[in-house]
Amino acid sequence: MQRSVQQTNGDDILTSPRKKQRVSSATAKVTVVLGAQWGDEGKGKVVDMLAMDADVVCRCQGGSNAGHTVVVNGAEFHFHLLPSGVINPRCISLIGNGVVIHLPGLFEELESNEAKGLENWQERLVISDRAHMVFDFHQQVDGLQELEKGAQSIGTTKKGIGPTYSSKAARNGLRIGDLLGDFDKFSQKFDMLVTSYQKMFPALQVDVKAELQRYKEYAERIRPLVKETVQYLHQSLREGKKVLVEGANAAMLDIDFGTYPYVTSSNCSIGGVCTGLGLPPSYIGEVVGVVKAYTTRVGDGPFPTELSDAVGELLQRRGHEFGVTTNRKRRCGWLDLTLLKFTSMVNGYTSICLTKLDILDTLPKIQIGIGYRLNGKEIDYFPSLASDLAKVEVIYETLDGWLSTTEGIRSLDKLPPNAKKYIQLIEEHLGIPVKWIGVGAGRESVIAL
């Protein structure tokens, strides 16, 4: 490391890159909200709540395969690419470099939510010039790849997310910055990318000329929103602004730590926050794990606590468990603490937001998965292979239900005793405090502890 020495009254004063870094580092810590299960835990609602006290709300990974719902004054806002904090009129909403963006879908989403009351987003939306673009042909390829797999298909959303991340990894993808730069070069790269996919899928039809004309128009629409977001975000932190990061998808869909191959194509754990926004780990403060009071998942893959009976149907019906992105019915099951211990190890949750507690109100008995047996032996780890996870036997603890309505409750002391026992058991097993409890759909339906 280079350093310089200045002489002052005979004493050496060191100036170095290390000293400069300390001077210019963040004065505020970043708060991160992550899904702790297989998604659909209610992250949008939590982000909307925390965004009331934030200056910048960021998306760091994923694409329009995410689906977050926020209910404000009875109106439902559905977000796929936009950070849920965009509802807060004082927040900047930032889409980071780790996100893959389908521009037609982004503008459709903006227009749809504008019709419901979203205001002044033009002054508050910032998009990274490093973010990769999802094209319509990526979505077509997504569907073709699923068809090729046949019975081995993984149940993707067919939003083109996997093919786009594949293009990114193959280094022939196109970024927002490419679109806003030399359009002739962009056109050449676009044509080459289409050609490469047509070699793999000869049936793929793309009107290159029409697509390029469309994207020339999109370039001008999006240009005012685009920035180099790494410097922008770091400057915001140096100024003491509060930054909130909204994870998309969830820990068990992470490309590395999820139930591979039944996962998404990005890192939706804490690592994706750093790489998807250009933030060092030392800048991260609170990590909120959002946990549904039971477990759901969309699509294929192992699900140890799944209920294929009347209780599962009751949870699906009472919880309105249909995917925001695909409208597919969500599979439902008991809460799985072994799964949550694993995702907590990976993500380092500092607190838990427990959502949809009210959905359990009518159950006389409630089970919680507290351990796994594999091949007849109790294990102290979460299986890496989906084939092993499909074989585990869940060890359950059974609790009495509370058989009373929690939806209107706004303080912990008013919760039924058995509901408190349920929360206490979760805290004891995970060693993490439950800081918020969701007991309804609206942004006001939260018990803060």
Side-chain angles (χ1 to χ4, degrees):
M1 180 180 72
Q2 293 182 344
R3 66 181 186 176
S4 61
V5 180
Q6 298 175 348
Q7 295 292 331
T8 306
N9 297 327
D11 295 324
D12 291 349
I13 298 177
L14 300 181
T15 60
S16 68
R18 183 183 302 164
K19 182 178 179 182
K20 291 178 182 177
Q21 177 62 29
R22 284 201 302 267
V23 171
S24 62
S25 63
T27 61
K29 292 286 187 180
V30 175
T31 298
V32 178
V33 176
L34 297 174
Q37 296 153 299
W38 275 292
D40 309 306
E41 300 93 349
K43 296 181 294 298
K45 177 180 176 179
V46 178
V47 170
D48 174 59
M49 174 183 70
L50 296 179
M52 297 291 188
D53 193 39
D55 299 299
V56 184
V57 181
C58 309
R59 269 283 302 275
C60 61
Q61 45 71 224
S64 56
N65 58 333
H68 298 165
T69 301
V70 177
V71 180
V72 180
N73 299 325
E76 280 195 359
F77 294 85
H78 299 298
F79 301 118
H80 302 280
L81 279 163
L82 293 170
S84 300
V86 74
I87 291 294
N88 183 349
R90 63 178 291 272
C91 265
I92 295 295
S93 288
L94 186 147
I95 299 177
N97 58 274
V99 180
V100 291
I101 302 174
H102 183 241
L103 287 181
L106 174 64
F107 285 112
E108 287 173 15
E109 184 177 331
L110 284 163
E111 290 161 8
S112 172
N113 286 294
E114 199 172 28
K116 296 177 182 178
L118 177 63
E119 295 178 335
N120 301 323
W121 59 264
Q122 295 89 344
E123 291 81 40
R124 299 185 292 107
L125 180 59
V126 174
I127 298 173
S128 171
D129 57 359
R130 290 185 172 91
H132 277 251
M133 285 184 287
V134 181
F135 297 106
D136 287 359
F137 63 79
H138 280 128
Q139 298 184 339
Q140 294 174 55
V141 167
D142 202 346
L144 291 169
Q145 288 176 334
E146 283 287 271
L147 282 174
E148 274 192 346
K149 293 171 186 172
Q152 303 301 314
S153 67
I154 60 174
T156 77
T157 59
K158 298 182 178 64
K159 296 293 184 181
I161 307 305
T164 304
Y165 278 115
S166 295
S167 296
K168 178 177 179 177
R171 292 165 292 183
N172 62 358
L174 286 161
R175 307 198 291 185
I176 295 291
D178 294 315
L179 177 64
L180 301 187
D182 185 324
F183 197 77
D184 286 338
K185 289 183 179 179
F186 172 84
S187 301
Q188 292 169 13
K189 291 179 181 179
F190 183 89
D191 190 49
M192 290 172 61
L193 184 57
V194 170
T195 300
S196 70
Y197 273 115
Q198 287 177 329
K199 287 177 181 178
M200 291 185 279
F201 299 95
L204 181 66
Q205 298 293 315
V206 181
D207 187 336
V208 172
K209 185 176 181 181
E211 283 295 280
L212 287 173
Q213 179 57 42
R214 188 161 71 129
Y215 273 85
K216 198 167 190 177
E217 295 168 5
Y218 280 133
E220 298 316 306
R221 290 183 70 183
I222 202 170
R223 194 181 298 277
L225 309 174
V226 177
K227 291 183 184 295
E228 194 290 302
T229 54
V230 177
Q231 170 63 22
Y232 179 87
L233 198 52
H234 279 248
Q235 182 61 37
S236 297
L237 287 164
R238 284 195 292 270
E239 293 171 358
K241 291 181 179 177
K242 295 181 180 179
V243 174
L244 176 65
V245 179
E246 173 181 19
N249 315 115
M252 293 313 302
L253 296 174
D254 185 275
I255 187 72
D256 284 292
F257 302 110
T259 48
Y260 189 90
Y262 304 97
V263 293
T264 191
S265 299
S266 63
N267 285 111
C268 28
S269 54
I270 196 70
V273 175
C274 298
T275 58
L277 291 169
L279 290 173
S282 59
Y283 282 27
I284 295 172
E286 293 293 316
V287 182
V288 180
V290 186
V291 176
K292 193 179 286 186
Y294 47 103
T295 309
T296 63
R297 80 169 297 174
V298 174
D300 300 322
F303 184 173
T305 63
E306 184 171 12
L307 292 165
S308 301
D309 58 11
V311 176
E313 289 181 6
L314 181 142
L315 293 174
Q316 192 276 328
R317 185 177 65 254
R318 280 182 53 82
H320 305 289
E321 296 295 352
F322 293 91
V324 175
T325 300
T326 62
N327 205 36
R328 288 181 292 182
K329 180 179 178 180
R330 297 180 187 135
R331 300 154 63 191
C332 297
W334 297 120
L335 189 64
D336 188 336
L337 295 181
T338 304
L339 179 155
L340 291 173
K341 284 180 181 178
F342 173 68
T343 69
S344 178
M345 278 195 295
V346 171
N347 290 318
Y349 307 132
T350 57
S351 62
I352 294 289
C353 177
L354 186 69
T355 64
K356 288 196 165 184
L357 183 70
D358 55 302
I359 305 305
L360 306 180
D361 285 353
T362 63
L363 294 172
K365 296 288 182 181
I366 300 172
Q367 291 188 297
I368 300 183
I370 58 170
Y372 290 163
R373 291 190 186 93
L374 181 60
N375 300 323
K377 295 182 179 180
E378 192 168 343
I379 58 175
D380 62 356
Y381 61 91
F382 191 86
S384 303
L385 298 177
S387 55
D388 284 341
L389 187 62
K391 294 188 294 185
V392 298
E393 174 193 354
V394 181
I395 302 167
Y396 286 105
E397 184 161 335
T398 302
L399 289 76
D400 291 327
W402 43 93
L403 296 175
S404 59
T405 300
T406 59
E407 191 170 348
I409 294 174
R410 296 293 178 267
S411 63
L412 180 66
D413 61 311
K414 298 291 178 61
L415 280 177
N418 286 346
K420 293 179 188 177
K421 289 179 183 177
Y422 188 77
I423 296 161
Q424 185 178 5
L425 182 67
I426 294 169
E427 290 183 321
E428 288 174 353
H429 274 265
L430 299 182
I432 307 168
V434 173
K435 197 170 180 180
W436 301 274
I437 304 165
V439 287
R443 58 161 48 159
E444 74 287 347
S445 303
V446 175
I447 301 170
L449 307 185

